[in-house]
Amino acid sequence: MKTNTLLTLLLTIVGIMTLSCNGGNEEKDSRTAEQKKQLDMICEMVDKQSPSTTATIDSVLAKTTDSLFYYDLYCELGRLYILTAPDSTLYYANKIMQFIKRQQPTRRVNGIAASAYNLRANYNYLYHQNYNQVQEDNLKAYHLFMKSDVQKNAPSICANIGDLYTQEIRLPEAAAWYRRALVLNDSLKLGEEKDNTVYMGLGRVYQMLEEYDLSEEYYAKSRKGFEYMQPNMKLAFLNNYGNLQYFKKDYAKALRVFQKMDSLINEFDCQGGFEDYLCRLNMADVLLNLGRTEESLTLLAPADSFFRANNIGDAIYYANTIRIGNLLQEGDMAKISTIIANEPKGLTTDENMIDIRDHYFYDYFAKKNDMAKANYYYQRYTNRKDSLDRSREHMRASDIMTRLTMDTLTLHNQLRMEEKNAVIERNKLIFTIIIGGVLLAALALLAWILFLRKRNVDKQLEIVNLKIANTRSSIAPHFIFNVLSHAISHDGQDTDKAINGIIDLMHSQLEITKHMFVTLGEELDFVKRYVEVAKPTIGDDFTFTLSKPQEDILKSRLVPSTFIQILAENSIKHGLRGLDRAKELKVEVTAMPEETIIVVSDNGRGFDIRRSSNGTGTGLSVIRRTIALHNERHRHKIKFNIENLTDNHGELNGCRAILSVPKTLGQ
C-alpha cells in the first residue's frame, strides 16, 4: 500500500520536473495566435454544449489548411459527441489515430495523440466497459499529455484512471491517482475549480468504503465549483451524489438530486443518451424504495430497452434487479423466477449492484421457504462486507503513508532553506556561529522526529505483516475442508490411504504456514503431497508434471511459503476440476543466476477476474499482499503475472501463472 503511494508521489514529482524543463520550449509546428484564439473559443463552446458548436467547427474546418489544426478540431468534435452520439466520438478517435501514426512525435503531436486515446477511453468506459482497453488508453494519454504542449489536460486523465480503479474496487489505487491529479493541478496552477472533479472522485471512494461523513466532506468541496464544471461533469456529480444519498438510505434526498440531474439533461439537450437513461434507472430504484412502484416501472421500461439495445451489461443487471424488487412488493414469485432463468451470466462485477440484488434474493428465497439459498445470499453479502473492511484498512494505511511522505518533503524543503541562509551569511563570523548552532539544533530535532516517524512506520508495517500472516494461516482450514469433503465421498479400498494422505498433508500445511519463506524443495514437496491427495477428485485422465532444478538449488533457494501450492490449487479448483477431457497440470522451476522462475500452467478453463461464485480469491490476495509488502522494503522485487493460453485456433486453452523470485529472498 505504501509502495503505491510513494510511487505515485515520485511519478508526480518527475512529471512536474518534466513540465518545468519543457514548459517554455517552442516548436516549429506550434499553433499560430489565430489558431489558438479559434481553438479556445471552440473548446469553450464544447464545454458548454452550445447548439451552434457543430456549425462553427465545420466552418473553421472548411478554411483550414494546417493538417495538425484540422485534427485539433477533430478532437473537439469527439468531445462534443461523447454523450449524444458516441459512435461519432469513436469515429473521430480512430481517424485521429490513423493520422498520428504517420507523424513524427513532437509536443503538439503528442497532445493530439493523447486526446485521441482519451476519447477512445471515455467511449469504452461509458458504453462498452472494456476496462482493460480503457486503462491502457488512459495511461497512454497521461504519459503523452505530460510530454505535450497541453500538460494542463494531464490531471483530468489522472482522475479518469482513478475512476477506473474505483470501478474495479481498487480503492487505494484510485485515491492515489486522484491525489496525483490534485498535486498536478496545484503545480500547474490550474485553479481550484480543477480540483472539484477530483474531490468528487474521492467522495465516491469513501462512499464505497461506507465512510459516509468523509464522503460528504469531499462532495461538499466538489460542490463549491459546480458552476465551473462542464455539462458532463455536472451530470456525473449529481449521479454520484444521488448514489451517496441512496446508500445512506435518504431516498427522498436522493430523488431530489436525480430530479435535478434530469432537469439538467433537458437543459443540455441530452435526452435519449446514456446519462438520460442512467438517471431514469436510478430514479426507478429510488421510487421503488419509496413505495411508488407504478412510477418506478414507468421509468424503468424505456431505460431497460435502451441498455438492452446497447448491450450494457451492468445496466441490464441493475434494471432486472429493480424489476425483481417491484415484483417482490407485488408478490409475483413466478415472474421473478422467469427473470432469473432467462438472465445471461456475467452481466456485472459491480459489487454495489450485486449487494442490492443479494438483498432482494434473500427476501425472495425466504418467501419461498428456501432458507438454504436465502442464507447463501446473506453469507455472500457478509463476505463482501469483510472485503470492504480490509479495503478500509488498506485505505487508512495509504493515507498515513501519503501524509508521512508529504511531511518528509516539507522537512527537506525547510532544510534546504536553512542551508541557503547559511551560505548567504557565511562571511559574518558571529552570525555564522549562531546559524551553525541553530542548524545543529534543527538537525538534531529533525533526526529525532524522523526517528519517531520511522518507528511509527515500522509499527504500521508490522501490523500489516501480522494481518498477512493471519490470512496465510486462514488458508489452511479452507484448503483442508475442501480436500476432506472429497475424501469423505471417496469409497473403496483406498479410503484409508486417502485419509492418511490428508493427515500427512495437514501436518505439512501446519508446519509450512509457520514460516514466511521456505526452501524451494520444501515447497515443491508440499505441492506434490497436495496434488497426490487431490488427484482422485480430478479424474483418471489427469496428469501432473513437475520439472525442478538440482538438489543444491532446492536446498539453497527460498520462496514465499504456500505460493506454488496456492497456484496449483487454483488451477485444479477453477481450471481443471469438472472438465470432461484430458487434464494437465505443470509446475516448471528454472534457476537463473539472480532469480528463480516458477511457472504453473494448466489446460483448463482459463482465468476470469469476473468469476465470483467459485471462491473468494483469498489465495491470490495473499500472494499479491505478500509481494506488495516484500517489494515495498526490498530493492530486488518479486514479480507475478497471470495470463490465459490459447490453442492454434485462438480458443481459450488454459492458464499460466509466472512467479519470479529473487535469489536474495530472505536475506
Side-chain angles (χ1 to χ4, degrees):
M1 190 57 56
K2 182 176 72 173
T3 302
N4 288 338
T5 305
L6 292 175
L7 180 59
T8 297
L9 184 61
L10 177 61
L11 289 173
T12 303
I13 292 172
V14 171
I16 294 168
M17 292 173 65
T18 302
L19 300 183
S20 299
C21 293
N22 296 333
N25 293 341
E26 292 292 334
E27 296 185 343
K28 61 181 181 181
D29 62 350
S30 297
R31 298 174 185 86
T32 66
E34 180 61 24
Q35 287 174 340
K36 291 178 181 178
K37 180 180 178 181
Q38 288 180 323
L39 193 58
D40 287 343
M41 175 192 68
I42 290 171
C43 285
E44 185 176 354
M45 294 178 70
V46 171
D47 291 343
K48 295 180 178 180
Q49 295 286 296
S50 172
S52 61
T53 304
T54 302
T56 302
I57 295 177
D58 288 342
S59 174
V60 177
L61 280 171
K63 302 173 184 177
T64 297
T65 57
D66 180 350
S67 60
L68 288 178
F69 189 60
Y70 194 93
Y71 284 93
D72 279 335
L73 299 173
Y74 265 25
C75 292
E76 294 308 307
L77 282 171
R79 284 205 308 127
L80 177 66
Y81 292 126
I82 187 64
L83 292 180
T84 57
D87 289 338
S88 295
T89 293
L90 187 60
Y91 166 82
Y92 287 116
N94 290 334
K95 294 289 286 186
I96 296 167
M97 288 177 180
Q98 292 170 11
F99 168 76
I100 290 299
K101 289 178 181 178
R102 304 191 296 269
Q103 309 305 308
Q104 292 297 321
T106 65
R107 293 177 65 224
R108 185 176 175 190
V109 168
N110 286 343
I112 297 173
S115 296
Y117 283 116
N118 183 31
L119 288 174
R120 189 168 72 179
N122 288 338
Y123 172 85
N124 282 324
Y125 181 75
L126 287 174
Y127 297 97
H128 286 258
Q129 302 182 26
N130 183 352
Y131 292 148
N132 290 333
Q133 184 68 58
V134 172
Q135 183 69 296
E136 181 180 339
D137 285 347
N138 273 329
L139 288 171
K140 287 180 180 177
Y142 169 75
H143 292 298
L144 285 167
F145 274 136
M146 294 299 289
K147 295 184 291 185
S148 76
D149 59 349
V150 282
Q151 297 98 337
K152 64 182 181 180
N153 293 330
S156 66
I157 303 301
C158 294
N160 289 347
I161 296 172
D163 291 342
L164 182 60
Y165 278 129
T166 302
Q167 186 72 23
E168 295 178 336
I169 322 298
R170 296 171 62 179
L171 303 181
E173 292 96 329
W177 277 95
Y178 289 137
R179 292 190 187 99
R180 183 186 301 194
L182 291 173
V183 171
L184 283 175
N185 281 337
D186 181 62
S187 302
L188 295 170
K189 297 179 172 55
L190 298 180
E192 293 183 358
E193 64 271 12
K194 295 294 184 179
D195 292 339
N196 298 324
T197 57
V198 183
Y199 287 136
M200 179 170 61
L202 287 169
R204 188 179 175 208
V205 166
Y206 284 104
Q207 176 245 301
M208 296 179 73
L209 289 170
E210 296 184 1
E211 297 193 7
Y212 297 134
D213 289 341
L214 268 175
S215 181
E216 285 280 8
E217 287 181 20
Y218 280 111
Y219 276 119
K221 291 181 178 181
S222 179
R223 189 164 51 245
K224 290 179 180 178
F226 185 81
E227 62 179 296
Y228 301 108
M229 293 182 188
Q230 298 177 14
N232 64 318
M233 296 312 302
K234 287 183 177 181
L235 297 178
F237 174 86
L238 293 172
N239 177 71
N240 291 340
Y241 190 60
N243 285 334
L244 171 62
Q245 306 311 317
Y246 172 89
F247 286 109
K248 288 174 66 177
K249 300 187 185 304
D250 190 345
Y251 300 119
K253 187 173 183 179
L255 182 59
R256 290 195 298 272
V257 174
F258 289 129
Q259 286 172 337
K260 183 176 181 180
M261 180 180 175
D262 183 54
S263 176
L264 284 183
I265 287 171
N266 292 327
E267 179 183 332
F268 298 147
D269 197 23
C270 293
Q271 300 95 327
F274 179 88
E275 301 291 344
D276 183 15
Y277 288 108
L278 177 62
C279 180
R280 298 189 193 193
L281 200 58
N282 284 329
M283 282 199 289
D285 195 4
V286 171
L287 290 169
L288 166 63
N289 283 277
L290 289 171
R292 296 159 63 176
T293 56
E294 289 187 9
E295 296 172 79
S296 173
L297 291 172
T298 299
L299 285 170
L300 178 61
D304 188 20
S305 298
F306 172 82
F307 291 122
R308 290 181 187 277
N310 288 276
N311 196 29
I312 301 176
D314 286 337
I316 296 171
Y317 182 92
Y318 190 21
N320 280 342
T321 299
I322 298 171
R323 187 168 282 109
I324 288 170
N326 278 288
L327 292 171
L328 272 174
Q329 291 194 12
E330 297 173 4
D332 194 337
M333 301 298 162
K335 286 186 179 179
I336 295 177
S337 299
T338 301
I339 291 174
I340 296 172
N342 294 331
E343 184 178 66
K345 303 298 182 184
L347 286 176
T348 187
T349 58
D350 188 305
E351 295 192 3
N352 284 325
M353 292 188 186
I354 295 172
D355 280 345
I356 296 170
R357 173 75 67 89
D358 286 356
H359 169 74
Y360 288 134
F361 271 6
Y362 176 83
D363 292 341
Y364 168 67
F365 286 110
K367 287 183 178 181
K368 293 185 66 176
N369 294 320
D370 188 345
M371 295 311 299
K373 285 189 176 180
N375 289 330
Y376 164 77
Y377 286 105
Y378 176 80
Q379 186 61 47
R380 195 165 76 163
Y381 172 82
T382 303
N383 289 340
R384 280 195 293 274
K385 289 302 179 185
D386 292 340
S387 175
L388 187 63
D389 290 339
R390 289 194 293 273
S391 293
R392 288 196 191 100
E393 294 171 4
H394 294 178
M395 193 70 194
R396 291 186 184 107
S398 178
D399 286 342
I400 289 170
M401 291 316 306
T402 298
R403 287 194 294 271
L404 287 174
T405 304
M406 295 305 295
D407 288 346
T408 302
L409 287 176
T410 301
L411 291 173
H412 288 172
N413 289 332
Q414 292 173 351
L415 183 58
R416 284 196 295 271
M417 290 300 297
E418 291 292 342
E419 292 172 345
K420 183 177 180 180
N421 291 335
V423 171
I424 294 173
E425 299 294 330
R426 66 179 178 270
N427 294 325
K428 299 179 181 180
L429 179 59
I430 186 168
F431 289 106
T432 301
I433 295 173
I434 293 173
I435 291 173
V438 171
L439 279 174
L440 287 174
L443 288 171
L445 180 60
L446 277 173
W448 176 247
I449 292 173
L450 291 173
F451 168 77
L452 292 178
R453 292 189 187 281
K454 182 179 181 302
R455 187 170 63 179
N456 288 336
V457 171
D458 288 341
K459 287 181 179 179
Q460 291 291 332
L461 290 174
E462 183 180 359
I463 292 171
V464 174
N465 204 349
L466 288 172
K467 289 176 181 176
I468 288 180
N470 179 62
T471 306
R472 294 171 70 87
S473 299
S474 71
I475 294 175
H478 170 76
F479 160 70
I480 291 168
F481 294 152
N482 283 340
V483 178
L484 278 174
S485 175
H486 292 294
I488 291 171
S489 64
H490 188 76
D491 193 16
Q493 59 183 1
D494 292 333
T495 301
D496 290 341
K497 179 180 178 181
I499 297 300
N500 288 332
I502 294 170
I503 293 171
D504 181 44
L505 196 60
M506 290 171 65
H507 283 301
S508 299
Q509 178 80 349
L510 291 172
E511 183 62 30
I512 202 168
T513 54
K514 292 179 182 177
H515 308 284
M516 197 71 171
F517 308 116
V518 296
T519 67
L520 185 58
E522 290 171 329
E523 177 73 4
L524 292 177
D525 286 343
F526 177 64
V527 172
K528 286 193 292 185
R529 287 192 182 98
Y530 165 75
V531 174
E532 189 64 31
V533 171
K535 187 183 296 184
T537 70
I538 308 172
D540 295 335
D541 54 354
F542 168 71
T543 57
F544 171 60
T545 305
L546 173 61
S547 174
K548 58 185 179 180
Q550 298 176 352
E551 190 67 26
D552 59 330
I553 298 294
L554 295 176
K555 292 180 179 179
S556 61
R557 298 276 179 104
L558 295 179
V559 294
S561 67
T562 73
F563 265 33
I564 306 177
Q565 181 268 327
I566 288 172
L567 296 175
E569 182 180 3
N570 278 349
S571 285
I572 292 173
K573 181 178 179 182
H574 300 304
L576 299 176
R577 184 170 289 146
L579 284 184
D580 57 356
R581 53 181 169 85
K583 297 171 278 289
E584 297 178 1
L585 173 64
K586 294 180 181 180
V587 177
E588 302 167 277
V589 182
T590 305
M592 306 297 289
E594 299 300 328
E595 59 185 352
T596 306
I597 307 296
I598 301 153
V599 179
V600 179
S601 59
D602 62 69
N603 67 337
R605 301 179 181 87
F607 176 71
D608 184 358
I609 61 172
R610 299 171 298 177
R611 186 167 53 217
S612 61
S613 60
N614 295 329
T616 62
T618 304
L620 290 181
S621 175
V622 167
I623 290 177
R624 291 191 172 107
R625 291 173 67 190
T626 303
I627 290 174
L629 182 61
H630 174 275
N631 291 350
E632 188 175 1
R633 305 296 299 275
H634 296 84
R635 183 166 63 90
H636 299 289
K637 311 299 184 185
I638 300 176
K639 303 172 186 174
F640 176 61
N641 185 45
I642 298 179
E643 59 188 19
N644 283 326
L645 303 174
T646 57
D647 58 21
N648 294 332
H649 303 289
E651 298 294 331
L652 188 63
N653 190 34
C655 176
R656 175 167 55 211
I658 304 173
L659 182 68
S660 175
V661 181
K663 182 181 178 181
T664 58
L665 186 71
Q667 298 179 6

